């Protein structure tokens, strides 16, 4: 089995694991449209889009080595599939964009769920500042129990997301010096350094980050001091 197929299989395994989180006892008893439950559906959905993007490369290679017949209207679109066989295009444009979109989409899933929780518990709209998400003051004021390690991870991932929207360069805007450099260890230590480009965001690391985000969120939702219904305001229509 080649490496591409192995990686595609790993993505499917992670999707299944995330979907299984809904069966955790603390999550299973929630109403279907509770934001703590729909979060895992959104996260799995973001991974499916990422999977299809990579699967397209695999399929393009298969078509390139097969004898299919296409009509004149289909040919132009099949030929464009050949873009995915261009190594420079893949490495410079397609793959970085897939990874950036995945990190961004998964972070938005988390952030929107957190806003739903804050909205219900505070009865006001939460005005988000990325750096506030992982301060003790914010979490303590809303009775959200979160470990020190998980707060550190969220800080790291939040800044990874911002950096990837800035040509992968870490360029924090807030004035608090201690937020200028972030590091986190998942198997190995990864570090964000101010004004430097991220070079560690491989396809394996991306999956590790999303897997960790799913685990962190599950731990947070299970330990949230709020037994009532928290509606998913972004996907309720």
């Amino acid at each position: 089995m080649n490496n591409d197929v192995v990686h595609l299989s790993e993505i499917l395994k992670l999707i299944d694991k995330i979907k299984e989180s809904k069966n955790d006892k603390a999550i299973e008893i929630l109403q279907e449209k509770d934001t703590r439950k729909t979060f895992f559906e959104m996260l799995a959905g973001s991974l499916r889009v990422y999977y299809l993007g990579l699967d397209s490369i695999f399929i393009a290679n298969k078509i390139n080595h097969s004898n299919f017949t296409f009509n004149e209207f289909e040919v132009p679109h099949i030929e464009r599939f050949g873009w995915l066989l261009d190594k420079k295009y893949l490495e410079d444009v397609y793959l970085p964009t897939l990874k950036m979109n995945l990190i961004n989409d998964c972070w938005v899933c988390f952030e929107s769920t957190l806003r739903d929780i804050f909205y219900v518990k505070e009865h006001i709209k939460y005005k988000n500042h990325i750096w506030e998400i992982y301060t003790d003051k914010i979490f303590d004021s809303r009775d959200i129990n979160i470990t020190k390690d998980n707060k550190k991870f969220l800080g790291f991932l939040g800044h990874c997301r911002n950096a990837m929207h800035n040509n992968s360069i870490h360029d924090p805007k807030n004035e608090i010096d201690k937020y200028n450099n972030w590091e986190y260890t998942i198997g190995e230590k990864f570090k964000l350094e101010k004004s430097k480009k991220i070079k560690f965001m491989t396809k394996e690391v991306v999956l590790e980050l999303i897997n960790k985000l799913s685990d962190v969120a599950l731990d947070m939702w299970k330990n949230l001091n709020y037994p009532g219904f928290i509606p998913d305001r972004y996907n309720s229509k």
Side-chain angles (χ1 to χ4, degrees), residues 5-44:
V5 173
V6 171
H7 187 62
L8 287 170
S9 299
E10 290 299 318
I11 298 173
L12 292 179
K13 288 179 184 178
L14 181 53
I15 291 173
D16 288 341
K17 180 202 167 189
I18 291 172
K19 290 167 59 181
E20 187 63 27
S21 297
K22 289 178 59 179
N23 295 326
D24 183 279
K25 290 182 179 180
I27 305 300
E28 189 177 33
I29 62 174
L30 300 174
Q31 295 185 39
E32 282 304 308
K33 290 300 181 179
D34 191 294
T35 193
R36 290 162 289 182
K37 181 176 284 189
T38 59
F39 164 78
F40 297 106
E41 296 173 1
M42 291 192 296
L43 199 64

Side-chain angles (χ1 to χ4, degrees), residues 214-234:
S214 178
D215 290 344
V216 169
L218 179 60
D219 185 63
M220 288 176 65
W221 308 159
K222 287 169 63 176
N223 291 289
L224 178 64
N225 185 23
Y226 191 84
F229 175 55
I230 302 180
D232 179 347
R233 296 181 299 131
Y234 296 90

Side-chain angles (χ1 to χ4, degrees), residues 13-97:
K13 288 179 184 178
L14 181 53
I15 291 173
D16 288 341
K17 180 202 167 189
I18 291 172
K19 290 167 59 181
E20 187 63 27
S21 297
K22 289 178 59 179
N23 295 326
D24 183 279
K25 290 182 179 180
I27 305 300
E28 189 177 33
I29 62 174
L30 300 174
Q31 295 185 39
E32 282 304 308
K33 290 300 181 179
D34 191 294
T35 193
R36 290 162 289 182
K37 181 176 284 189
T38 59
F39 164 78
F40 297 106
E41 296 173 1
M42 291 192 296
L43 199 64
S46 295
L47 265 173
R48 287 191 190 99
V49 173
Y50 179 67
Y51 170 85
L52 290 172
L54 294 180
D55 197 30
S56 296
I57 303 172
F58 174 72
I59 294 171
N61 276 284
K62 288 294 184 181
I63 290 177
N64 190 47
H65 293 93
S66 302
N67 295 316
F68 292 105
T69 301
F70 303 100
N71 65 47
E72 60 179 308
F73 302 105
E74 296 171 333
V75 168
H77 306 294
I78 297 299
E79 288 178 344
R80 297 314 187 275
F81 220 35
W83 290 344
L84 299 180
L85 304 178
D86 183 332
K87 184 177 180 181
K88 180 173 175 55
Y89 173 74
L90 279 179
E91 294 180 352
D92 292 350
V93 180
Y94 191 74
L95 292 175
T97 300

Side-chain angles (χ1 to χ4, degrees), residues 36-157:
R36 290 162 289 182
K37 181 176 284 189
T38 59
F39 164 78
F40 297 106
E41 296 173 1
M42 291 192 296
L43 199 64
S46 295
L47 265 173
R48 287 191 190 99
V49 173
Y50 179 67
Y51 170 85
L52 290 172
L54 294 180
D55 197 30
S56 296
I57 303 172
F58 174 72
I59 294 171
N61 276 284
K62 288 294 184 181
I63 290 177
N64 190 47
H65 293 93
S66 302
N67 295 316
F68 292 105
T69 301
F70 303 100
N71 65 47
E72 60 179 308
F73 302 105
E74 296 171 333
V75 168
H77 306 294
I78 297 299
E79 288 178 344
R80 297 314 187 275
F81 220 35
W83 290 344
L84 299 180
L85 304 178
D86 183 332
K87 184 177 180 181
K88 180 173 175 55
Y89 173 74
L90 279 179
E91 294 180 352
D92 292 350
V93 180
Y94 191 74
L95 292 175
T97 300
L98 282 181
K99 288 186 285 189
M100 180 186 72
N101 287 344
L102 177 64
I103 293 293
N104 180 68
D105 290 350
C106 291
W107 180 258
V108 170
C109 290
F110 174 79
E111 188 178 75
S112 64
T113 302
L114 206 56
R115 283 179 174 176
D116 284 337
I117 292 170
F118 290 166
Y119 184 87
V120 168
K121 290 180 68 60
E122 296 295 305
H123 304 290
I124 59 173
K125 288 186 177 180
Y126 173 56
K127 186 177 180 181
N128 177 65
H129 295 286
I130 290 295
W131 67 268
E132 285 186 332
I133 283 181
Y134 30 82
T135 62
D136 291 324
K137 182 179 179 181
I138 289 295
F139 283 113
D140 291 347
S141 69
R142 294 167 173 79
D143 299 321
I144 295 179
N145 299 312
I146 181 172
T147 67
K148 183 177 180 180
D149 180 74
N150 285 349
K151 268 186 285 191
K152 183 178 181 181
F153 169 76
L154 292 177
F156 176 78
L157 182 60

Side-chain angles (χ1 to χ4, degrees), residues 153 156 184-190 205 208-209 212:
F153 169 76
F156 176 78
Y184 194 78
T185 301
I186 306 181
E188 61 181 293
K189 182 180 288 186
F190 303 110
V205 170
E208 289 178 355
L209 291 174
K212 177 69 176 180

